[in-house]
Amino acid sequence: MQELTSPHALRNEIQSLLVQNGIDSDCFVEMLDYTIELFETQGLGTDYYGYHNINHELEVTYVTMLAANRDTINEFTIDDLKYLYVAALFHDFDPQKSVDKPHEQNVIKFISSDKKLRRLLDDAKIDIEIIKVLIHRTTYPWRDRWREDAEIQIMECFKNSTIAKNDTIFQDHVMYLGSYLSVIDRLGGYSLGDFSKAMDMAKMNAHALGWKPSLMVKRAVEYFEELLGNESDMSKMILRILPKPMRKNFFDTVLSFMKLRQQEIRIQADVAYENLKLLPTIENTKTRRNPEFIKSLHSIFKELPKPLQFEGDDFEESIKNMDTILTTLRLDTPDGEIIGFAKGGALEEYKLRTEITDENYGKKNTIFLEPIALKRGYWGLKGGSEMRHMFVMLAHAKKYKYMTSFALRDVVKGRINKENAEFVVQFDPERWDYYRVKLEQTI
């Protein structure tokens, strides 16, 4: 199976599927190119480190058309495919998002008001109210108040539709199409690559939604259990239709996350029963120049989400540089297995986001703490906070007056009273903010 790793490759495959399905009007290809243009111009292209970017939109569209193209789904008409195609293309386009997870109402508002899209829908003879229904049906989770709110909106759309207003059988069919799209939306991307792709997707999702790292694997397992449990009939039908390599990708991913979750629970139990001890350590010069030591740190570093990877190109030199403050977390003894580290240096040594203007830059009074790195399975066991405390003591000993870093917004709020922390710059949608503390108040 061909690897689809770029919007360009996905676009070409989608266009090919359109032709195979007899959807050959120019307006449908124009919609495809317009979607890519919109995501790129709104900062939601390949450079956006969030789950709901252009790749996700095109992956959902590709898998939607690929599965619907199979002879097994005989009840899908060519008009059904047209509606599924348009809804998939635009289902997550929320240009004013304040969080990564799109708000369906914002998506509906956009497709209702964008003049170019309305012209393309008219050319395609698409009833926009049916597109709205399909997008509302992708609401996740589909239960409780989320479902209730979506169903109220869906009934309004049906009332306003010229082709569905008085046709309950057709309305039920549209809801079936919406269920199909909703499941594709959640499993499609995980069928298009191996577990390393799936882990990248999970890290993007966790980072963009502002989850604590300790929750990522747990919530991934819950996500798959809900998908395969609560919507098992539709999930089984779609997975049965997809090509065998895609089915294998999906189930390998599910099993791999479950194994990681079991490993996390085992580690938590070992720490709780004191079978494992987490020991923050200051490393000597000789150790910091050891290639195997550097290699082990770098492997942990690579587990961080990409926006949290600082000094990537100069990682080895930064470890060897004794002006860099470095603390590690080892298992049981000072020379035990390394499971995490905290490092940082003078603020002036870092190139931070362009939105950041730090009043202390150039004064050489501020240490920048890079995001703490831990092996998967060891988050949430307080090893990170112990490394951070040791880092702060070393920074204070080096006469730094301030420390800056990035942390989740809720974490920074918790430090405002405890450490007199202050926000310097806040970032949405990820809510991973740049903050400052005065060091003598943290000792």
Side-chain angles (χ1 to χ4, degrees):
M1 195 180 98
Q2 179 185 1
E3 283 290 315
L4 300 173
T5 57
S6 71
H8 178 72
L10 284 162
R11 179 224 178 269
N12 290 343
E13 288 299 312
I14 292 168
Q15 184 177 10
S16 177
L17 288 170
L18 286 174
V19 174
Q20 290 176 36
N21 282 290
I23 304 174
D24 50 8
S25 299
D26 290 343
C27 58
F28 290 100
V29 177
E30 193 174 346
M31 281 183 209
L32 178 58
D33 291 331
Y34 186 45
T35 303
I36 296 171
E37 177 189 334
L38 284 169
F39 271 78
E40 293 290 352
T41 56
Q42 293 294 328
L44 302 173
T46 53
D47 290 338
Y48 169 63
Y49 193 82
Y51 180 86
H52 296 96
N53 59 16
I54 185 59
N55 275 31
H56 169 72
E57 207 80 348
L58 295 179
E59 285 175 350
V60 171
T61 305
Y62 170 72
V63 179
T64 295
M65 300 304 290
L66 179 69
N69 187 46
R70 313 291 288 192
D71 293 335
T72 313
I73 310 184
N74 295 320
E75 66 265 37
F76 282 8
T77 67
I78 190 168
D79 283 338
D80 291 340
L81 297 186
K82 290 177 181 179
Y83 278 103
L84 285 169
Y85 168 75
V86 175
L89 266 184
F90 291 97
H91 77 284
D92 276 342
F93 183 68
D94 182 358
Q96 297 179 329
K97 65 170 68 185
S98 58
V99 295
D100 179 70
K101 186 179 185 298
H103 193 291
E104 285 77 19
Q105 283 296 100
N106 290 345
V107 178
I108 299 298
K109 181 180 179 181
F110 166 75
I111 66 171
S112 301
S113 60
D114 188 84
K115 292 180 180 179
K116 182 172 181 178
L117 179 56
R118 291 301 297 267
R119 174 182 64 78
L120 291 170
L121 293 177
D122 289 342
D123 290 346
K125 297 181 173 55
I126 293 289
D127 183 343
I128 193 173
E129 298 300 327
I130 303 303
I131 299 298
K132 292 178 184 178
V133 170
L134 295 176
I135 292 174
H136 278 303
R137 182 56 185 84
T138 65
T139 296
Y140 176 77
W142 186 249
R143 54 179 165 77
D144 303 331
R145 64 177 178 82
W146 297 281
R147 177 173 180 170
E148 292 171 7
D149 291 345
E151 287 180 333
I152 292 170
Q153 298 298 323
I154 285 170
M155 293 311 299
E156 281 299 310
C157 294
F158 280 141
K159 287 179 183 178
N160 295 330
S161 169
T162 57
I163 63 175
K165 180 187 280 188
N166 299 313
D167 191 339
T168 56
I169 294 176
F170 180 64
Q171 290 177 13
D172 289 342
H173 181 63
V174 171
M175 291 300 287
Y176 180 78
L177 296 179
S179 176
Y180 168 85
L181 179 61
S182 178
V183 171
I184 293 279
D185 181 21
R186 282 174 281 149
L187 70 76
Y190 292 104
S191 70
L192 289 172
D194 60 15
F195 182 61
S196 63
K197 178 185 185 298
M199 180 54 73
D200 285 341
M201 290 170 61
K203 286 194 290 188
M204 283 193 292
N205 194 41
H207 177 73
L209 293 178
W211 291 350
K212 293 180 179 178
S214 58
L215 296 176
M216 184 185 73
V217 173
K218 179 175 182 287
R219 288 187 174 173
V221 170
E222 292 170 349
Y223 175 88
F224 290 121
E225 286 180 338
E226 181 169 3
L227 177 63
L228 296 173
N230 294 350
E231 302 200 56
S232 59
D233 290 344
M234 184 62 75
S235 296
K236 288 177 182 176
M237 187 269 284
I238 291 170
L239 288 165
R240 187 172 62 249
I241 291 167
L242 290 177
K244 185 177 179 180
M246 293 175 68
R247 292 200 302 272
K248 184 178 186 303
N249 284 338
F250 178 78
F251 282 113
D252 282 352
T253 287
V254 174
L255 291 171
S256 295
F257 273 113
M258 288 182 171
K259 288 177 181 176
L260 282 178
R261 181 60 184 148
Q262 289 176 339
Q263 180 184 339
E264 282 186 344
I265 294 171
R266 192 178 303 115
I267 291 169
Q268 290 169 6
D270 283 341
V271 172
Y273 291 116
E274 299 184 354
N275 295 328
L276 282 179
K277 293 183 180 179
L278 310 183
L279 188 66
T281 306
I282 301 172
E283 305 291 350
N284 60 41
T285 304
K286 181 180 178 181
T287 301
R288 289 174 62 161
R289 295 185 178 278
N290 184 315
E292 288 303 313
F293 173 80
I294 296 170
K295 183 179 178 181
S296 66
L297 294 191
H298 193 253
S299 67
I300 300 171
F301 171 81
K302 295 299 289 183
E303 290 188 19
L304 287 169
K306 287 183 181 177
L308 307 187
Q309 295 180 11
F310 290 85
E311 296 282 325
D313 294 336
D314 301 311
F315 185 84
E316 180 176 344
E317 291 306 313
S318 72
I319 298 296
K320 292 178 179 178
N321 185 351
M322 296 311 292
D323 289 331
T324 299
I325 296 178
L326 174 70
T327 64
T328 60
L329 193 66
R330 291 181 179 263
L331 289 181
D332 296 326
T333 65
D335 60 353
E337 179 188 352
I338 300 169
I339 59 168
F341 69 91
K343 80 179 183 79
L347 177 62
E348 291 77 12
E349 298 297 318
Y350 290 86
K351 184 178 181 181
L352 304 180
R353 293 176 62 158
T354 56
E355 302 96 321
I356 295 174
T357 301
D358 193 314
E359 64 189 38
N360 289 323
Y361 190 89
K363 296 180 181 179
K364 299 183 178 180
N365 62 0
T366 301
I367 184 93
F368 174 70
L369 169 62
E370 299 175 28
I372 287 171
L374 283 167
K375 277 188 175 181
R376 253 176 243 117
Y378 292 94
W379 290 101
L381 300 175
K382 302 196 180 298
S385 60
E386 291 182 15
M387 283 194 294
R388 180 178 180 271
H389 184 68
M390 183 173 284
F391 181 95
V392 167
M393 290 192 296
L394 293 172
H396 190 268
K398 284 180 173 284
K399 309 300 184 185
Y400 284 105
K401 293 183 179 179
Y402 301 95
M403 182 184 77
T404 60
S405 189
F406 289 90
L408 292 170
R409 188 165 300 169
D410 289 344
V411 173
V412 178
K413 287 179 180 178
R415 289 173 179 165
I416 288 175
N417 292 328
K418 289 195 300 184
E419 301 180 4
N420 200 25
E422 60 177 333
F423 289 102
V424 180
V425 183
Q426 293 179 299
F427 295 99
D428 292 316
E430 61 266 47
R431 291 167 291 169
W432 190 273
D433 300 324
Y434 182 68
Y435 72 100
R436 176 190 301 120
V437 293
K438 202 167 184 178
L439 285 181
E440 63 257 30
Q441 295 178 339
T442 64
I443 302 298

